[in-house]
Amino acid sequence: MNQKKIAIVGAGLCGSLMAVYFAKKGMRVDVFEYRKDLRLLDGSGGRSINMALSHRGIEALKKVDLFDRIKPHMIPMKGRFVHLQDGQTSFQPYGTQKDHVIYSISRKTLNEVLLDAAQEYASIHLHFEKKCTDYDVKTKKIMFEDQVSHQMLNKQYDYVFGTDGAFSKIRQAMMKTDRFNYSQDYIPQGYKELCIPAGKAGSFLMEKEVLHIWPRKKFMLIALPNTDGSFTVTLFLDFEGEPGFDDLTTKESVTAFLKREFPDAYNLMNNVEEQFFENPTSSLATIRCYPWNVENYALILGDAAHAVVPFFGQGMNASFEDVQLFFEQVQQHDLDVAIKTFSSLRKKDADAIATMALENFIEMRDSVSDPTYLQRRKIAQELERNDPERFKSRYTMVSFTSIPYAQVYQKGIENQKIIDEILANQNNSR
Amino acid sequence: MNQKKIAIVGAGLCGSLMAVYFAKKGMRVDVFEYRKDLRLLDGSGGRSINMALSHRGIEALKKVDLFDRIKPHMIPMKGRFVHLQDGQTSFQPYGTQKDHVIYSISRKTLNEVLLDAAQEYASIHLHFEKKCTDYDVKTKKIMFEDQVSHQMLNKQYDYVFGTDGAFSKIRQAMMKTDRFNYSQDYIPQGYKELCIPAGKAGSFLMEKEVLHIWPRKKFMLIALPNTDGSFTVTLFLDFEGEPGFDDLTTKESVTAFLKREFPDAYNLMNNVEEQFFENPTSSLATIRCYPWNVENYALILGDAAHAVVPFFGQGMNASFEDVQLFFEQVQQHDLDVAIKTFSSLRKKDADAIATMALENFIEMRDSVSDPTYLQRRKIAQELERNDPERFKSRYTMVSFTSIPYAQVYQKGIENQKIIDEILANQNNSR
């Protein structure tokens, strides 16, 4: 076994799964996390409360026998449940097969299960409240600030894996090296989380096994079910503009806006104006960079390497798939080769899901209520139902297969051409 | 007069010109520079040795009566002097009018003249060897490290202008604010400066009033004349690849490469292999960001806001034009409004010159020796000569007018269509 010292910086979803992958290979690893152990905390720690787990994430969990532990905490979502402004609703199934469902799961619960699993291995050492402040790519020293004593710790590792999220300190250190390509692009919209509480005895006040969307063209509301009967509601809205977060500064304006745009949701929420002013308005960015490694000893994965907007529900799934694919490289070659080659193998897929996530925002907030879109979607679903081996919709490929994202993107363009032709033929035969 | 405290961080070309603009308005300003006063130094301080000054830069200098001081140090360059591998040469004039020339000037001399000019104003206070290490956008405190005493200085200003170049610390501080868009994109090529010395009594060993290019499709050599009779030669070449800098690690390989590709230039250089290993290989990036301001009190300009690759010779000209345009806003409104609105007015132009600079690399290293390009160029020059009000080539618009870069980019696309049509008609009439 390799006696070299391995550090993972960030014990979120990606880092804690990665630790388990290392342990399964019999390798010792130190995991550093700047937050408190979230298993000891109430609340969600300020991150988005629930996630959509789908095929890619599930496969990565299965590889290290963790999926069965996650299962009890999931709620299937079989499709989109669309709420129009006039109160009309409609259901749009996500796929064409019975197992074409995605799963709502609490970020906190999922992270807890992963940390519990990590803690069962003697070879995994979890260090909480150690905030990484810098990494010296030359000496391989990682600087941490102990969040209790506020002492600085200086630790040297042979390998460092940065799974420290969109604001990664390991990536920031890499940025100081020459020829590191980087971009952060914010969208004009922000988001705010709200809540629809459970009904009596944990009952659900809306359709349970769906993802609710209130598409309003330039903005939207969505809601995902939680196991306690509540729904986490998220408003996506321009910062500036009318309507815009900057405009909603009084209780009256918030009430008027929510009542006008989302009357059915408004009626199900308690003290929504209070929630509106208590909860933060957060921004949304796409982060791209390259390369993800420093030679054969440092690598960033997940959001640290490729943060995406949340509209395809793939951020976590892509991160988990990173871990699985990285360890396939470790298996086929060795750790050094895997670190050196991973970003060149995976970069185009990260770029593709970033682009598709941006495109899906338009689909969710606008297209889902557009007759032309619905007609095209119907054709796609018929093609897929008739011959699922020959035709798969882009949504199906992203959410229910492991086809590399970059291939999915290309096939998605071909799909559109096929549907164009069918529509042209339909019009000609009229 | 405004008694508020103003700081400029960076006393390079952009910052020292900006200081003079403030002084002309009767405003007091502190200018901080991390380097020593370059007027006291030999050599170039590691930056590229000469620049191409053209219309936009000249206009900005004229506005504050500085152009006449620069003139004696300039060498006109009337066009490209192309050296093919077989020894053939050809001359391609830059424009169609007598004043369509760009000027080679030493970065150091130009900066010295600007610093001398700044020092003549009692209201400009120059502080050298003060390295900005951070800026607190909330408290408006700027942190400096004194490069002699290594003491930290903490200074508060009402207004801060970051003219601290591509690696701007003021921009880095802005990056910590929410919703700051940023990208840095390196090209695969690096550059290395070499030298063709003067001949006897300061004579020029090659054609003097031109920009020399040795286009070799994937790479190129260029040379600009200096007032002392020497030429600054720059090799632009892939880092990786064949040929590539990573491959040129022995004296023998360097000699073989230069002799094979640039035999005429090779014969004019002394100890070129020594120069090759002594001089650094530098990287080239495009930096884009937005917004350039923090509210009404901090602004970045020049390379700090929009570093471009050097292939259109516009980096410095765009920076100088920034300063001129910014003070037009100050004049029309006031300092606060100018800071708040400048980046929204100028951003599209910065993006356009960044794109055109990247495109011009292909033109310089490849197209200038391509018959189709030369045919199109001939048509463009005829159109421009016949009716310069109706048709201006893109090169002319960039280098010899003040037409905003974004408009130039659009007109350049229209130009190509016009030339396409003329070529199609020529072919039809055969």
Side-chain angles (χ1 to χ4, degrees), chain A residues 167 175 177-189 239-240 246 281-284, chain B residues 167 175 177-189 239-240 246 281-284:
Chain A
F167 300 99
M175 267 190 82
T177 63
D178 194 24
R179 296 174 65 210
F180 184 78
N181 290 307
Y182 176 77
S183 73
Q184 56 184 44
D185 293 296
Y186 286 84
I187 62 171
Q189 294 85 6
F239 278 98
E240 291 114 28
D246 288 2
T281 308
S282 305
S283 56
L284 294 160
Chain B
F167 300 99
M175 267 191 81
T177 63
D178 194 23
R179 295 174 66 210
F180 184 79
N181 290 308
Y182 177 77
S183 72
Q184 56 184 45
D185 292 296
Y186 286 84
I187 60 171
Q189 293 84 7
F239 278 98
E240 291 115 25
D246 288 2
T281 307
S282 304
S283 55
L284 294 160

Side-chain angles (χ1 to χ4, degrees), chain B residues 390-403:
Chain B
R390 270 191 65 188
F391 188 96
K392 287 184 174 67
S393 75
R394 188 165 93 169
Y395 193 91
T396 291
M397 290 187 281
V398 167
S399 303
F400 309 126
T401 80
S402 296
I403 300 170

Side-chain angles (χ1 to χ4, degrees), chain B residues 6-9 18 22 159-163 299 301 326 335 339:
Chain B
I6 301 172
I8 293 175
V9 176
M18 190 165 205
F22 271 118
Y159 298 102
V160 177
F161 297 90
T163 53
L299 183 71
L301 301 93
F326 174 72
L335 200 52
I339 292 170

Side-chain angles (χ1 to χ4, degrees), chain B residues 13 51-54 57 105 110 303 313-321:
Chain B
L13 298 173
M51 329 278 302
L53 180 66
S54 56
I105 184 157
L110 180 49
D303 282 2
Q314 286 294 308
M316 171 185 69
N317 291 289
S319 295
F320 283 179
E321 196 176 48

